[in-house]
Amino acid sequence: MASELPPILRQYDRLAAVAVLAILLLSLLYLIFAGLRQTQEVQEYDGTVALKQPTKADLQPVSLEKERKLIEETATPPKTALLTVQQDPDAANLCTPERRLLCVACAKPISWKAEKCPFCETVQPAEKKLDLSTIDSDGDGLTDQWELKYGLNPQDPTDADLDTDKDGFTNLEEFEAKTDPTNPKSHPGYETRMSVSAIEGKKLPLRAIDKMELPATTGADGKPVRHFQVTFVSVSEDGTQGSTPIRAKDGELIGKSGYRFIAYTELPKKQITVGANKQLRFINVSTVEVERVADKKRVVTIFKDPDNPAWPGDPLLEQKATIAIDLPETAPVTVAPGESFAVKGEKFTVKAVDPEKKLVKVEKNADKKTFDLK
C-alpha cells in the first residue's frame, strides 16, 4: 500500500492560491498609494503655479520697441551714424565699432581707453584728442562733419562728384571753396572755370631789322638827345618778310605804310649760347615803338635778330582773347582789352592781353579784384 503524502504537499494547491492572492493584494495597495501620491504632487504643483500668477488684470505686455529699432538700424544705418568713430566713446551704438587710435610707439590700432598698448606694452598718453572735423570715412575729400551738415552721406564716396544745387560746381569744389553745396547762389568764383583758348589779332605789318644812330642834338635841359634811323621791312599776315628796306627817322612816317616811327629804345645786347657746342652769341633785344596814324594806336616791337631763337614774333595790334567757360549752357566769349562780358549775371572786364605769355588779365567787377587766365 502506498505511503501517504506529507501534509504540506496535500495542501499545495491551496497554498499557491493564497500566495497569488496576497501578491495581487499588495500590488493593488501599491497602485492605490502611488496614485494618491501622484494626485498630491499635482495638487502641490498647481498650488505653486497659482501663487505665481499675476494678481492684477491691468498689466501691460513688455515693449520691444528699442530692440526693433536696433534691428532696423542694423539693416539700414541712418546717414547720421558715424560708422568709423564714436563721438561719445561710452555711447552704446550697435552700428558703431569701438573708437580706436594708433599706438604712439608701434602705430597699431588700439582701444581709445587703453592705458597701455596690448602689442608693445607702451604706456599711452593720458590726454587723447580727436579732431572730428578732419575725419573722412569714405575718402572722397569731404569731411564727415561737412557731409552730415549738408545732408550728404559720409559713407558714399561718389557724392563728392555730384552737383547737389545744380550750379555747375561739384560738392568737392564747393567744399574746397567753403561754399554751400545746397544753395545755387553760393558757389566758387566763376573764374575757376575760365581758361584762355585762343588769342588773336591783327599783326603789325612792319618789322624792324636794323638801326643807325644819327648825330645827337641838345635838349631844352641842355642835355644831349640821341636820334636814330631804323630800317623796316613789310611783313604779311602769314609772316612773309618783304625785301624792300624802308628807313625812317624819329617822328617820320614809315614810307606809305600808314605808320609813324616814334622811338627807339636801346637795350644791352643779350648773351646766349646756341647749338650743341654752345656757341656764344650776342643778340639785339632793343625795342621800337611805332604809331598807327589812323587812330594813334601805338605798339612796341622787338628787333628781328636772325641769331635770336627766342624772338617773340610780330606784335598784335588788336588783341582779342577767346575765353572758354566750363559751365553748363555757357558759350565761350571773345573780348578785347577794355571790353566786358558776363557769366550767369556776374560781370568781368578784360584789362590786358599778353599774346607772348598767352595770358589774359581779367577784373571781377563786383570786388574789383584782378586775376590771370591762361
Side-chain angles (χ1 to χ4, degrees):
M1 182 173 182
S3 61
E4 295 181 357
L5 294 172
I8 191 170
L9 292 179
R10 291 197 301 267
Q11 302 297 327
Y12 174 78
D13 294 339
R14 294 178 180 177
L15 292 173
V18 172
V20 171
L21 288 173
I23 291 173
L24 291 173
L25 181 59
L26 292 173
S27 298
L28 180 60
L29 291 173
Y30 173 78
L31 291 174
I32 292 172
F33 283 111
L36 293 173
R37 179 60 183 167
Q38 185 176 10
T39 301
Q40 184 181 0
E41 290 178 354
V42 171
Q43 292 175 348
E44 291 176 355
Y45 174 78
D46 290 340
T48 303
V49 172
L51 291 174
K52 295 183 179 180
Q53 294 296 325
T55 57
K56 294 183 179 180
D58 58 348
L59 290 177
Q60 298 297 323
V62 177
S63 174
L64 300 177
E65 183 65 19
K66 292 183 179 180
E67 288 74 8
R68 184 185 64 79
K69 288 184 177 180
L70 278 176
I71 294 174
E72 290 179 354
E73 289 184 2
T74 303
T76 55
K79 289 183 179 181
T80 55
L82 289 175
L83 303 185
T84 58
V85 64
Q86 296 179 18
Q87 297 193 35
D88 181 0
D90 297 320
N93 188 337
L94 186 61
C95 299
T96 307
E98 179 186 30
R99 181 191 288 182
R100 295 189 166 221
L101 76 168
L102 300 181
C103 170
V104 296
C106 65
K108 292 183 179 180
I110 62 175
S111 171
W112 177 269
K113 298 180 180 180
E115 297 180 357
K116 183 185 293 186
C117 175
F119 301 101
C120 65
E121 297 187 350
T122 300
V123 176
Q124 303 300 304
E127 293 186 5
K128 302 179 178 68
K129 295 182 179 180
L130 179 64
D131 186 3
L132 293 174
S133 65
T134 63
I135 296 173
D136 181 8
S137 297
D138 51 14
D140 59 359
L142 310 177
T143 64
D144 289 0
Q145 281 192 347
W146 192 85
E147 292 198 60
L148 293 171
K149 178 181 178 181
Y150 293 109
L152 303 176
N153 187 352
Q155 298 302 314
D156 182 8
T158 63
D159 58 9
D161 295 326
L162 300 179
D163 181 7
T164 303
D165 53 8
K166 309 300 180 185
D167 60 0
F169 295 91
T170 66
N171 292 331
L172 180 59
E173 289 174 315
E174 300 248 19
F175 171 77
E176 292 174 343
K178 298 180 180 179
T179 54
D180 185 347
T182 62
N183 183 0
K185 294 184 179 180
S186 175
H187 53 74
Y190 288 129
E191 62 271 16
T192 61
R193 291 299 188 87
M194 297 180 190
S195 61
V196 179
S197 60
I199 294 179
E200 300 174 346
K202 184 179 179 180
K203 291 182 179 181
L204 178 69
L206 296 169
R207 189 174 290 168
I209 60 172
D210 198 6
K211 61 91 183 176
M212 180 178 68
E213 187 167 3
L214 302 176
T217 60
T218 302
D221 57 358
K223 295 181 179 180
V225 178
R226 299 177 68 186
H227 298 279
F228 296 90
Q229 176 180 277
V230 174
T231 301
F232 297 89
V233 291
S234 62
V235 59
S236 61
E237 281 294 326
D238 62 2
T240 302
Q241 180 175 306
S243 59
T244 303
I246 308 172
R247 296 180 178 87
K249 300 177 183 178
D250 303 349
E252 289 184 346
L253 292 175
I254 307 172
K256 297 180 179 180
S257 64
Y259 290 85
R260 185 187 307 277
F261 167 40
I262 300 300
Y264 166 79
T265 301
E266 188 171 46
L267 299 174
K269 287 194 173 184
K270 185 177 179 180
Q271 179 178 324
I272 64 170
T273 56
V274 181
N277 297 328
K278 296 185 178 181
Q279 297 178 351
L280 186 64
R281 291 183 183 178
F282 292 89
I283 57 174
N284 187 356
V285 292
S286 297
T287 61
V288 176
E289 184 178 13
V290 299
E291 178 185 83
R292 187 164 55 187
V293 177
D295 56 5
K296 306 299 182 182
K297 182 177 181 61
R298 294 188 178 187
V299 65
V300 175
T301 181
I302 298 177
F303 265 87
K304 176 66 169 71
D305 191 327
D307 291 333
N308 183 5
W311 180 63
D314 300 304
L316 297 177
L317 290 169
E318 283 80 31
Q319 300 149 342
K320 288 190 175 183
T322 300
I323 300 174
I325 306 169
D326 185 18
L327 288 171
E329 302 178 357
T330 305
V333 294
T334 300
V335 284
E339 294 181 347
S340 299
F341 63 97
V343 179
K344 295 186 179 296
E346 190 169 321
K347 290 187 177 181
F348 300 84
T349 300
V350 175
K351 305 302 290 184
V353 176
D354 189 337
E356 182 179 348
K357 297 180 180 179
K358 296 182 179 180
L359 180 145
V360 177
K361 189 175 291 294
V362 181
E363 179 185 83
K364 184 185 291 187
N365 292 16
D367 55 14
K368 300 301 180 182
K369 291 183 178 180
T370 60
F371 56 91
D372 293 338
L373 289 181
K374 292 185 177 182

